[in-house]
């Protein structure tokens, strides 16, 4: 038998663990963190939210904060908190081109900040769930609090 067919279960487990470690290293590198920093932020975030988190969870959260950190995208989110709206309505309301608006909406939808629903010929965008609305409201409550 070839060597690859005779691997023991222990070797397979070690390889899976090594692959997971590599994925964690890759994720840490994408975030600009060393492996140790990645472990520390994961540990601290898990403790803060009271749930076991992994580095990809940290990466997803950072991406959401990054997207909401752009004033144009934040304005789109705020408009969609009011009611579902089409790209045309959002572009007019935000004074963006439809192309730029669509570009932003795609990123917001990819991160599940916004959801889209087709109604006939139009696609309507709205907040994906109440978690995002609460985050946005809480941030504004924080910045206006004395």
């Amino acid at each position: 038998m070839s060597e690859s067919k005779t691997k023991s279960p222990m070797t397979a487990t070690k390889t899976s663990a090594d692959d997971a470690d590599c994925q964690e290293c890759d994720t840490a590198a994408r975030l600009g963190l060393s492996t140790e920093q990645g472990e520390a932020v994961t540990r601290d975030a898990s403790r803060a939210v009271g749930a076991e988190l992994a580095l990809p969870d940290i990466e997803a959260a950072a991406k959401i904060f990054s997207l909401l950190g752009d004033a144009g995208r934040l304005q789109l989110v705020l408009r969609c908190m009011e009611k579902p709206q089409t790209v045309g309505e959002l572009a007019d309301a935000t004074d963006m081109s439809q192309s730029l608006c669509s570009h932003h909406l795609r990123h917001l939808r990819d991160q599940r900040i916004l959801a889209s629903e087709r109604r006939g010929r139009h696609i309507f965008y709205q907040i994906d769930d109440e978690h995002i609305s609460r985050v946005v409201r809480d941030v504004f409550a924080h910045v206006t609090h004395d």
Side-chain angles (χ1 to χ4, degrees):
M1 285 191 159
S2 72
E3 185 177 327
S4 62
K5 291 183 180 179
T6 60
K7 283 185 180 177
S8 71
M10 184 63 110
T11 304
T13 303
K14 184 175 183 340
T15 301
S16 295
D18 290 345
D19 289 347
D21 287 344
C22 267
Q23 289 173 351
E24 290 286 311
C25 292
D26 291 345
T27 304
R30 280 195 306 274
L31 291 169
L33 303 172
S34 68
T35 303
E36 294 78 21
Q37 290 170 320
E39 290 169 358
V41 73
T42 301
R43 180 191 63 240
D44 294 343
S46 296
R47 199 170 32 230
V49 301
E52 190 66 30
L53 299 172
L55 207 45
D57 301 319
I58 305 303
E59 184 177 31
K63 179 73 172 175
I64 289 171
F65 285 121
S66 173
L67 286 170
L68 293 176
D70 176 87
R73 286 189 292 261
L74 181 58
Q75 187 179 12
L76 292 172
V77 169
L78 292 167
R79 299 290 303 190
C80 290
M81 286 173 64
E82 295 174 17
K83 64 178 184 166
Q85 298 187 45
T86 65
V87 175
E89 291 170 330
L90 290 165
D92 289 345
T94 59
D95 208 21
M96 286 183 201
S97 69
Q98 282 199 5
S99 175
L100 178 60
C101 189
S102 292
H103 175 78
H104 286 315
L105 291 169
R106 184 177 71 246
H107 289 289
L108 293 166
R109 193 182 62 227
D110 288 348
Q111 293 301 312
R112 295 184 7 227
I113 296 169
L114 297 181
S116 61
E117 177 184 343
R118 180 174 289 281
R119 296 183 199 161
R121 292 180 3 168
H122 298 284
I123 297 175
F124 286 82
Y125 292 86
Q126 61 193 9
I127 293 296
D128 188 80
D129 65 31
E130 190 56 32
H131 294 112
I132 294 297
S133 295
R134 281 196 306 261
V135 167
V136 171
R137 286 187 191 109
D138 284 349
V139 167
F140 282 107
H142 174 74
V143 300
T144 59
H145 179 72
D146 287 333

